[in-house]
Amino acid sequence: MSDLVIVGAGGFARETAAAAGPAWRVLGFVDDDPALHGTTRAGLPILGPVDSVREMAAAVVVCVGNPRNYTARKRIVERLGLPADRYATILHPSASIGAGSVVGPGSVLLAGTVLTADVTVGSHVAVMPQAVLTHDDRVGDYATIASGVRLGGGAVLETGAYVGAGALVREGVRVGAWSLIGMGSVVLTDVPSDEIWVGSPARKLRSADLTASPRS
Ligand SMILES: CC(C)(COP(=O)(O)OP(=O)(O)OC[C@H]1O[C@@H](n2cnc3c(N)ncnc32)[C@H](O)[C@@H]1OP(=O)(O)O)[C@@H](O)C(=O)NCCC(=O)NCCS
């Protein structure tokens, strides 16, 4: 069993603590909100500010971000500047990792995630429950895949792409870097970078406003 500290104390952080399984001893969370220090979340302590993980002899996973701020994970990883081998890869015991599939450091696969075969998931990727990634899919660093998403074979999510809950992505289709797909959307054609697309078939809603939530 290895020690693990989770960066963030919000919903995804607590879901990751619950997903960690018997391979990990979760020591607690770190968060920059001083009001949280000394309190507990999901039965685990808030150990201190984010930067304190640098001094801790534990593996780390960064579990921040939501649809309004999906660049936060990248900014924290860059700020911490930790070597890749400090990062844990958290696979819920019920996640199914098919032959030839790889998952990068700092990534989290929640309950019931399926990678069928030859799926490549980068670093610091968040995959919510019951997502299905099929053969030859490629998911870039910092991407987020919400619950119930289905990716057809050979689909590509570029760096930081956010695919909302229950969305479907047709086989071979590419979602550009830092673009967001609204929940329940059906993506039939390639999506450029930095755009928000919604609906069935998915169409551009607007450009992604990454000024409040910058790419870097
Ligand atoms: C796409 C999204 C980011 C837009 O949010 P928003 O900027 O607050 O947009 P609004 O709710 O003001 O909607 C703007 C328009 O887009 C439409 N719209 C928004 N989300 C939509 C969706 N998922 N599918 C279809 N249409 C959508 C709205 O009906 C509205 O249309 P109108 O102008 O004709 O009335 C958001 O709806 C979404 O889907 N987020 C992902 C949520 C998710 O997956 N969460 C899971 C993890 S917690």
Side-chain angles (χ1 to χ4, degrees):
M1 196 186 267
S2 305
D3 291 344
L4 176 70
V5 173
I6 297 173
V7 176
F12 178 44
R14 287 174 281 126
E15 289 170 339
T16 299
W24 298 100
R25 182 189 304 112
V26 183
L27 301 182
F29 306 100
V30 292
D31 193 286
D32 281 338
D33 180 355
L36 293 179
H37 300 161
T39 68
T40 60
R41 287 288 181 281
L44 292 162
I46 314 289
L47 300 164
V50 168
D51 288 341
S52 66
V53 292
R54 291 202 187 90
E55 319 308 325
M56 294 180 189
V60 178
V61 63
V62 179
C63 296
V64 299
N66 59 56
R68 288 162 305 287
N69 184 7
Y70 56 99
T71 59
R73 216 155 48 242
K74 177 170 187 268
R75 280 184 283 121
I76 288 181
V77 167
E78 289 181 346
R79 180 177 117 196
L80 286 172
L82 297 172
D85 63 9
R86 276 291 307 275
Y87 284 104
T89 301
I90 304 298
L91 309 174
H92 188 281
S94 69
S96 173
I97 315 293
S101 299
V102 291
V103 182
S107 291
V108 177
L109 272 49
L110 294 183
T113 297
V114 176
L115 313 186
T116 62
D118 294 317
V119 175
T120 303
V121 174
S123 303
H124 309 289
V125 172
V127 186
M128 310 298 171
Q130 307 291 340
V132 179
L133 285 62
T134 62
H135 66 89
D136 304 304
D137 289 336
R138 284 185 288 130
V139 177
D141 298 345
Y142 305 108
T144 303
I145 299 175
S147 58
V149 164
R150 271 85 175 111
L151 302 182
V156 177
L157 306 184
E158 294 182 351
T159 303
Y162 187 109
V163 183
L168 308 176
V169 179
R170 188 176 185 162
E171 67 276 10
V173 161
R174 176 179 291 263
V175 177
W178 303 103
S179 281
L180 185 152
I181 306 301
M183 55 189 176
S185 299
V186 179
V187 184
L188 301 178
T189 58
D190 287 356
V191 173
S193 298
D194 299 338
E195 294 187 355
I196 297 178
W197 283 41
V198 298
S200 175
R203 305 272 188 229
K204 182 178 177 181
L205 175 65
R206 62 168 190 268
S207 295
D209 178 11
L210 300 168
T211 50
S213 167
R215 293 168 73 125
S216 58

